Amino acid sequence: MGQTRALRAAHQIGVSRRAGEERSGPQPLNSPIRIGLALGGGFARGIAHAGVLKIIDQHRIPIHCVTGVSAGSIVAAAYASGATPEEIGRAGCSMRFSDVGRWRPGRLGLVGSERMSRFLKRLLKTYRFEEMRIPLGVVATDLFTGGPVAFSQNGPVFDPIRASCSYPGLFQPVHHQGQLLVDGAMSMEIPSALARQLGATHVISVDLGVPALSAQPRNVFQVVNRCFQILQSHAEDNWRRETDLVITPDVGGMAWDAFGYGAQLVEAGEAAALAALPDIQEWFPRVEPCAA
């Protein structure tokens, strides 16, 4: 969407600051600003992250680090590796479920995610954490302990991303170094705390919300999905405490598998980021021109 349409839509987008705080003012000139982006999950709706990144890049907002869970981990890894928002958006718009999953019913899940590695090889510019252009953090969930497992320092990225995207009951868990790992959003809906650990002084969380459901779920997957949404809503304060600004693209009406609406999802991300720009720009000191 062009900027004019995005600006008209921006007033409809939720942009919220850290609870209990006033809008952040400009920082002192000697205080470095290190912005961390924390990207939430949403499966196909994760394409909206590309629109957010597009506006951030266009307005030259420097990003110190990027973290992600579930679909957000794919976008975060692609951006950290050097892929442009346009490349990420095109990959998302052309992506189909078969690119990342293959129906293979088993005892622990219905879908295997091995195909995701091939998809990531085409999208990412480099495949190891230590080779990323900016620090990258990916969160999965340990199925035994229920706690988050953070990946950020070194090693291959494919298995951590596959694990972070392994929605329980649908995707089979990923075995990694003795752990059985599933979707990172089960333990950390948005990885804002990990962005702080990677050195961010200011954290922008991108929350894709939940897809709209009919009054009565129509299948088992919708029942399980709604249960997880209820659990995550009770833990929302955790990630918001580590967040300075929340960007919420208007994608609530999109289904989890709405890959055919990629262009609209990117547009929603653009509009939400444009609405947030004034708040982000206030973090940076204004340099007054020298008197003649």
Side-chain angles (χ1 to χ4, degrees):
M1 162 173 70
Q3 285 196 8
T4 302
R5 287 181 57 199
L7 284 169
R8 286 202 298 266
H11 73 280
Q12 302 172 354
I13 308 300
V15 178
S16 58
R17 295 178 291 278
R18 189 186 294 187
E21 292 188 1
E22 295 299 323
R23 179 179 297 179
S24 300
Q27 300 295 303
L29 287 174
N30 61 351
S31 178
I33 303 299
R34 297 188 298 271
I35 295 178
L37 272 179
L39 308 182
F43 211 60
R45 291 175 297 130
I47 299 170
H49 290 313
V52 173
L53 291 171
K54 180 178 178 181
I55 297 303
I56 284 174
D57 270 18
Q58 283 181 351
H59 291 265
R60 301 183 183 277
I61 303 298
I63 299 300
H64 167 74
C65 64
V66 59
T67 62
V69 297
S70 196
S73 70
I74 297 177
V75 178
Y79 186 70
S81 76
T84 67
E86 289 75 17
E87 289 174 321
I88 297 170
R90 285 195 298 270
C93 290
S94 63
M95 179 181 173
R96 295 298 179 264
F97 184 84
S98 59
D99 292 324
V100 296
R102 178 169 65 90
W103 289 100
R104 194 183 64 196
R107 290 185 299 113
L108 301 181
L110 301 175
V111 178
S113 62
E114 292 81 5
R115 288 182 177 178
M116 188 178 296
S117 295
R118 290 186 298 177
F119 176 80
L120 293 172
K121 283 182 180 179
R122 295 193 300 268
L123 176 60
L124 273 60
K125 306 300 183 182
T126 187
Y127 310 140
R128 298 184 63 85
F129 282 95
E130 65 269 27
E131 296 173 355
M132 293 292 165
R133 178 178 58 90
I134 59 175
L136 165 68
V138 171
V139 176
T141 300
D142 187 321
L143 195 56
F144 180 72
T145 67
V149 179
F151 300 88
S152 62
Q153 299 301 320
N154 51 62
V157 300
F158 291 168
D159 277 357
I161 294 172
R162 285 180 53 221
S164 188
C165 294
S166 293
Y167 193 88
L170 178 62
F171 283 92
Q172 296 168 3
V174 172
H175 293 267
H176 182 79
Q177 297 182 353
Q179 294 174 304
L180 196 60
L181 303 178
V182 295
D183 196 324
M186 298 300 103
S187 58
M188 188 179 293
E189 187 178 357
I190 297 179
S192 52
L194 181 55
R196 294 275 180 201
Q197 294 171 20
L198 293 178
T201 60
H202 294 65
V203 176
I204 301 171
S205 291
V206 184
D207 178 20
L208 300 181
V210 296
L213 291 180
S214 58
Q216 295 294 329
R218 296 189 299 271
N219 53 55
V220 172
F221 179 75
Q222 287 188 351
V223 171
V224 174
N225 192 39
R226 175 52 69 188
C227 289
F228 282 127
Q229 290 168 3
I230 293 170
L231 289 172
Q232 289 172 347
S233 69
H234 294 304
E236 186 172 335
D237 287 345
N238 294 334
W239 64 263
R240 285 186 180 272
R241 276 195 296 268
E242 298 292 340
T243 299
D244 295 280
L245 186 70
V246 181
I247 296 178
T248 309
D250 186 12
V251 296
M254 296 290 187
W256 67 276
D257 58 348
F259 291 106
Y261 294 89
Q264 293 93 319
L265 290 164
V266 171
E267 291 175 2
E270 291 178 11
L274 280 169
L277 269 178
D279 288 306
I280 298 171
Q281 290 168 337
E282 282 192 3
W283 294 341
F284 296 91
R286 298 177 180 85
V287 180
E288 298 295 334
C290 296

